[in-house]
Amino acid sequence: MSYLLSVALFCGLLALLLLAASFVLVPAWENSPWKTLAETAHEVDVLVFGSSRTYCTVIPMEMWRHEGVTAVDVAGPSQPLPVTLSFMRQAFKTQDPVVVMVEVSAVGMDSDPWCDLPMAHRSFDNMPAGVERTTSILQSTPPTAWMELLLPLHAYHSRLPELTRNDLTLGKFGRFTYRRGADYWTVVTPQSGAVEIRSCPESAYLRDLETIRQMAAECEDRGIRLVLYVSPSFRRVAVGGLPLLERIAADLRDDHPQVDLLDLNQVAESIGVDPARDYMDSVHLNIRGATKVSRWLGAHLVDSYGVQDRRRASFADRWDEDLRRYDAACPGIGD
Amino acid sequence: MPGFPSSLVGTVQFASVAFLFVLAITVIAYYSLPGPRTRAVLLLVVSSLLYLTMAPQGFLVLALVTTVAYVSGVLIERGDDRIGRTRSVVGVVAVVALVAGLALFKYADSTVAFVGRIAALSSLAGDRTLRLVLPLGMSFWTFQAIAYVVDVRKGRTSAERDPLLFWLSVAYFPIVTAGPITKIQQLGPQLREKRAFDPDGIRSGLLLMGRGFFKKLMVADRLVVFVDAVYADPHAFGGGSNGLILFVASCFFAIQLYMDFSGYSDIVRGASRLFGVEIPNNFRGPYFATTVRDFWRRWHISLMDWLKEYVYIPLGGNRVGDARRYANLLAVFAVSGLWHGTGLTYLAWGLLNGIYQVAGGLLAPLNERIIRRLRIDRDSVGHRAFRTARTFVLITVSWVFFRAESLADGAYIVTRMFSPTLGVLTDGSLLELGLTASDLAVALLSAVIVFILEWASLRTDALTIITRRRVMVRWAVYYALILTIVLFGAYGGAYRAADFVYFKF
């Protein structure tokens, strides 16, 4: 018995040591949405999910500034839709949003299973441990990646050559919670010429359509309006010759008629997104473009979905303080 | 292997968390089971499944070789010499079949390709091969099977009648992939016994595994990056300004190979010790050897013992004249080279080591005279260090052929690796070959730590000393070892997890 106790004690101490080590050395994703969601529990009316096209397009602080809308981006780079569904379920544990937006350009984007390990690390390493994270890893990644993703200590061993003093800064996860999950880029890559169309294979589309149906069901069960959208981009997706959203609209019309679809490409010109100045690359907006889209989106959410102005709420001071931090971090860039 | 799910292939490798997980579950189940028979069944099931995850296509060959050896053993023991030479015939047929099987998988393709190339020169045929894949560990378990058949035939051991224990003795997962070549009569009795749970055995087994992981993940899998970069195109380094890089890469390969193979041996010996089963040690500080002959008593001991017992001694061993003895030595090392691979590089490597020893024997009187004339103290630290360094350099030169892609590459490297281009050590050239300064520092510092501990282990068992310390000291060592490997080991997505080098033999 005493032997078993000593083994348990040894393993427990080892787990604590590894946990401490991982907290210090796991590659920081300072923009991680999970700390943001914890800090703003039950305050957020709009959750925006998806891939990098989400956090490069929607700046929640701009929506707060102009409309008093509380929003958070909950997205990971190159993230497949099944993982986005896990993100959604996890986020619902701390938030009761009025509107959920999902950027769907990732339809059929990556192989199944998800083999892009650096990207998968970004999505999973900072996700709260539990059933959602575990099942998502097991379902969306190959068996050879399971150990590496389930035990995040794998994530920091190879960072020796790139360690800096900053790696020893405690509390770096979600250090930029004031951004509310958004990232911003000041790079300008002028876009011109024809839009590139990526043709999504039917089988991959149908696989992800099933995930979208599950998202719709999750939202309907909670009385949440689901908006499927695509960000302004010069690389768009088509399925069977139809633009992505048109195809989704046709497929969801019967069983999920209340799901709304929003193609931001169609409003981009009218709200002043300038292809010569507002793109970071062909699929991501820079902060100028994102600011324009976010201001429009805030007003759209208020007008179309009755999202409330929360600037008189008890937590408003904290959101204002974060807006000041946001402005201080990128003064005037968005103007 | 038909029917085995392809998604599971490759999921378990020895240097992986998955392996540790499977091992932990197996150890718990093993000691929870009541008798040795059920425990043996468990080990057999786990061994078979692990083999299937690593090399499903070789499973049937493993089964066939095991069956041939088992049936031969039983037939030899039942055979009656009064009514003919049954025993000898069965023994010879079995050994020939086993050797032929190994040769088929190991050499048929390269032979057919060679013949095809010659035929192509005379416009008779194209480039054809049989596309046979050498089953994982076949060289090891075939030698194990041959030793068993010969030993039963010679009456050195009785045949193992229990097919389950026999199968387990061959397929036992710690040894099936890359040895050590363990005699069935060594394993059988241990697997037959009911082992009580032994905390000390578990501790020392885990510590041994930790040392193996340290060697593999801290040193071998780092240095492999540098070595591969240089050996992929050695001609880029033979110039007048950077020839010494070839020497550095060759030294790194010598270290990498040792850390890789001895690391594997530590892992599997430690894993086996968790079940109370001891398998032989394959290494005894080989790079501290003072002669090439001494080196081969310390390196891959189980193979050298096998070659000595089943090749060298039957050829006459030391009981023959010098000329014959030297010829036998060359034959043994030629067999060793061919056992490792089909390329001429392996043969050259083996023969070079044989030549070293023949030359050592021939030059021994001259060496004696020089030592006496110069009044060199044989036991002085300086003289021992000189002999150790000389042996290391000689062995490193032979490793060049072991690692080179072709005989021509090997010759190119050996003729240029000693060029005095010391500038490469300081001008940053070494950091342009895939390893950063910190990677290099970690690998070399770790190698120094391993060598210091091994030097100490030659006098006393350092692992036992640790396991007998007070609990605080023990735990501190364990935690330091685990955290060091976890934090600084080379594994996972950012690295190409190199297979153990000896898996291919």
Side-chain angles (χ1 to χ4, degrees):
Chain A
M1 191 61 188
S2 64
Y3 181 76
L4 288 180
L5 277 177
S6 66
V7 169
L9 182 62
F10 180 85
C11 293
L13 279 173
L14 180 62
L16 282 176
L17 279 169
L18 292 174
L19 195 67
S22 70
F23 186 70
V24 175
L25 290 174
V26 164
W29 187 16
E30 295 167 316
N31 223 23
S32 167
W34 302 109
K35 190 173 178 187
T36 308
L37 288 176
E39 282 182 3
T40 60
H42 307 294
E43 295 175 3
V44 178
D45 287 332
V46 180
L47 289 174
V48 193
F49 295 95
S51 62
S52 58
R53 295 190 190 217
T54 296
Y55 55 69
C56 288
T57 301
V58 180
I59 301 177
M61 274 299 136
E62 292 296 340
M63 294 199 255
W64 173 257
R65 185 202 311 276
H66 294 284
E67 308 292 343
V69 169
T70 52
V72 172
D73 294 341
V74 192
S78 299
Q79 191 167 278
L81 286 180
V83 181
T84 296
L85 174 61
S86 305
F87 268 42
M88 183 183 286
R89 287 173 173 155
Q90 183 66 37
F92 286 165
K93 290 177 181 172
T94 54
Q95 302 290 351
D96 347 274
V98 177
V99 176
V100 158
M101 299 182 67
V102 178
E103 218 286 347
V104 287
S105 301
V107 162
M109 184 175 65
D110 209 296
S111 57
D112 179 26
W114 194 19
C115 296
D116 192 335
L117 277 181
M119 297 299 181
H121 269 302
R122 182 64 73 91
S123 280
F124 290 122
D125 285 353
N126 296 291
M127 191 177 179
V131 175
E132 281 308 327
R133 181 171 176 273
T134 306
T135 53
S136 188
I137 289 171
L138 296 181
Q139 287 171 1
S140 59
T141 61
T144 46
W146 288 351
M147 284 299 169
E148 177 161 350
L149 293 169
L150 288 170
L151 302 173
L153 55 89
H154 272 264
Y156 54 84
H157 70 92
S158 58
R159 299 197 59 236
L160 181 66
E162 61 192 66
L163 289 182
T164 66
R165 188 178 287 177
N166 189 41
D167 284 284
L168 301 175
T169 308
L170 296 178
K172 62 200 170 192
F173 303 108
R175 193 155 63 111
F176 298 147
T177 54
Y178 63 86
R179 292 183 185 172
R180 299 294 187 264
D183 211 341
Y184 47 75
W185 297 84
T186 55
V187 177
V188 177
T189 308
Q191 299 300 312
S192 59
V195 170
E196 182 188 331
I197 302 293
R198 175 174 66 86
S199 181
C200 175
E202 185 73 14
S203 58
Y205 166 75
L206 291 176
R207 185 194 69 213
D208 280 343
L209 181 67
E210 189 51 41
T211 305
I212 290 171
R213 284 202 165 98
Q214 291 177 47
M215 290 176 178
E218 291 276 347
C219 291
E220 283 164 20
D221 288 348
R222 291 174 166 79
I224 300 167
R225 290 300 295 271
L226 175 63
V227 181
L228 305 177
Y229 78 102
V230 292
S231 300
S233 166
F234 278 74
R235 267 199 282 170
R236 298 174 200 167
V237 185
V239 185
L242 279 179
L244 177 61
L245 285 183
E246 281 185 36
R247 175 66 192 268
I248 292 176
D251 288 332
L252 292 186
R253 191 176 299 134
D254 294 335
D255 45 352
H256 297 288
Q258 60 279 63
V259 172
D260 288 332
L261 303 161
L262 175 61
D263 187 349
L264 290 173
N265 289 293
Q266 292 179 356
V267 298
E269 190 177 339
S270 64
I271 62 177
V273 174
D274 179 358
R277 301 178 66 196
D278 294 347
Y279 279 83
M280 190 257 282
D281 58 28
S282 61
V283 291
H284 300 107
L285 294 173
N286 60 25
I287 189 167
R288 279 176 52 87
T291 300
K292 292 171 186 173
V293 171
S294 302
R295 286 176 185 172
W296 178 88
L297 194 57
H300 176 71
L301 287 166
V302 171
D303 294 343
S304 303
Y305 299 100
V307 176
Q308 290 184 0
D309 182 344
R310 302 283 215 139
R311 280 174 287 195
R312 290 176 183 276
S314 58
F315 52 76
D317 287 349
R318 189 153 35 78
W319 282 70
D320 284 336
E321 172 57 28
D322 284 344
L323 178 59
R324 280 191 285 278
R325 293 177 67 196
Y326 168 76
D327 285 338
C330 48
I333 291 174
D335 293 337
Chain B
M1 177 69 185
F4 190 75
S6 59
S7 61
L8 291 176
V9 175
T11 51
V12 182
Q13 296 169 327
F14 279 113
S16 71
V17 178
F19 172 69
L20 293 178
F21 183 73
V22 171
L23 187 64
I25 299 288
T26 310
V27 169
I28 292 168
Y30 181 82
Y31 287 106
S32 306
L33 290 171
R37 187 89 189 152
T38 48
R39 289 178 175 185
V41 171
L42 171 76
L43 287 181
L44 182 56
V45 169
V46 171
S47 297
S48 302
L49 289 175
L50 281 174
Y51 191 88
L52 282 168
T53 64
M54 288 191 265
Q57 71 279 10
F59 193 76
L60 289 177
V61 184
L62 173 65
L64 187 63
V65 167
T66 308
T67 306
V68 166
Y70 174 76
V71 172
S72 307
V74 173
L75 287 178
I76 289 169
E77 204 162 71
R78 279 186 188 166
D80 188 344
D81 279 342
R82 286 172 302 178
I83 55 170
R85 295 180 173 177
T86 320
R87 293 178 186 214
S88 296
V89 170
V90 171
V92 169
V93 168
V95 169
V96 168
L98 291 168
V99 172
L102 180 60
L104 175 72
F105 279 97
K106 205 149 185 162
Y107 309 115
D109 261 354
S110 51
T111 307
V112 169
F114 180 69
V115 171
R117 277 199 297 276
I118 291 178
L121 288 176
S122 57
S123 307
L124 289 178
D127 191 15
R128 288 179 188 162
T129 62
L130 302 176
R131 293 191 175 80
L132 290 173
V133 178
L134 181 69
L136 181 65
M138 187 178 185
S139 303
F140 295 90
W141 32 265
T142 301
F143 268 32
Q144 184 194 29
I146 291 170
Y148 169 75
V149 171
V150 172
D151 285 352
V152 173
R153 171 65 193 90
K154 299 267 184 192
R156 293 175 191 154
T157 183
S158 54
E160 174 58 69
R161 300 289 176 136
D162 185 339
L164 181 124
L165 279 183
F166 188 87
W167 173 255
L168 177 57
S169 299
V170 179
Y172 185 44
F173 73 88
I175 60 167
V176 74
T177 50
I181 301 168
T182 311
K183 290 197 171 189
I184 285 167
Q185 53 269 37
Q186 267 179 284
L187 274 180
Q190 296 190 74
L191 295 167
R192 194 175 276 117
E193 257 181 56
K194 182 178 180 183
R195 304 266 162 177
F197 181 79
D198 172 20
D200 285 340
I202 299 281
R203 266 197 291 270
S204 71
L206 289 173
L207 201 53
L208 200 51
M209 290 179 70
R211 188 175 77 178
F213 282 118
F214 187 89
K215 289 176 178 175
K216 169 77 174 159
L217 301 177
M218 299 292 290
V219 186
D221 281 0
R222 275 207 170 78
L223 294 185
V224 69
V225 177
F226 187 100
V227 173
D228 283 359
V230 174
Y231 271 75
D233 184 15
H235 297 269
F237 304 96
S241 62
N242 61 3
L244 202 63
I245 285 182
L246 295 172
F247 179 75
V248 174
S250 300
C251 291
F252 281 4
F253 177 65
I255 298 171
Q256 176 218 328
L257 186 64
Y258 173 64
M259 295 295 171
D260 187 283
F261 194 20
S262 72
Y264 158 81
S265 295
D266 285 347
I267 291 170
V268 297
R269 282 179 62 220
S272 185
R273 195 173 284 176
L274 300 183
F275 303 101
V277 177
E278 285 295 329
I279 51 180
N281 189 2
N282 244 347
F283 296 92
R284 204 172 50 246
Y287 287 137
F288 295 110
T290 51
T291 63
V292 172
R293 189 177 176 197
D294 185 22
F295 175 85
W296 284 109
R297 288 196 195 111
R298 298 158 176 255
W299 178 279
H300 204 171
I301 296 167
S302 64
L303 175 65
M304 296 318 293
D305 283 351
W306 193 98
L307 289 171
K308 181 179 167 191
E309 193 169 349
Y310 300 101
V311 180
Y312 185 68
I313 291 177
L315 287 173
N318 292 334
R319 293 162 296 161
V320 292
D322 279 352
R324 176 85 182 277
R325 187 162 58 85
Y326 291 144
N328 290 347
L329 259 178
L330 288 173
V332 164
F333 278 91
V335 170
S336 172
L338 290 173
W339 179 87
H340 280 86
T342 54
L344 288 175
T345 50
Y346 290 110
L347 187 60
W349 164 76
L351 285 174
L352 187 54
N353 275 286
I355 290 168
Y356 282 158
Q357 297 193 57
V358 172
L362 293 173
L363 296 174
L366 176 66
N367 193 36
E368 276 297 315
R369 277 206 296 277
I370 293 172
I371 286 175
R372 253 183 275 133
R373 179 75 56 87
L374 297 177
R375 294 180 182 170
I376 294 170
D377 178 4
R378 287 175 184 283
D379 297 325
S380 68
V381 173
H383 185 57
R384 288 185 63 82
F386 165 74
R387 295 174 72 202
T388 303
R390 181 187 61 188
T391 305
F392 179 79
V393 171
L394 288 172
I395 291 297
T396 297
V397 169
S398 76
W399 287 138
V400 168
F401 292 98
F402 191 90
R403 176 63 185 80
E405 303 290 335
S406 67
L407 213 49
D409 275 2
Y412 177 87
I413 292 169
V414 168
T415 52
R416 286 166 172 79
M417 64 192 282
F418 296 106
S419 67
T421 52
L422 293 173
V424 299
L425 301 177
T426 53
D427 66 5
S429 305
L430 299 182
L431 302 179
E432 293 170 0
L433 293 163
L435 290 183
T436 62
S438 47
D439 267 327
L440 210 50
V442 167
L444 296 180
L445 183 64
S446 303
V448 168
I449 291 170
V450 169
F451 284 129
I452 289 174
L453 287 175
E454 298 217 333
W455 184 76
S457 293
L458 293 176
R459 284 149 186 78
T460 176
D461 186 355
L463 295 186
T464 307
I465 290 175
I466 293 168
T467 56
R468 287 181 183 163
R469 289 278 172 183
R470 286 169 43 208
V471 66
M472 299 297 283
V473 178
R474 275 200 329 256
W475 286 24
V477 172
Y478 300 156
Y479 285 137
L481 182 63
I482 295 170
L483 282 175
T484 303
I485 294 170
V486 166
L487 288 175
F488 300 116
Y491 60 88
Y495 280 84
R496 179 177 65 80
D499 284 339
F500 286 99
V501 173
Y502 263 69
F503 274 21
K504 67 181 176 182
F505 300 126

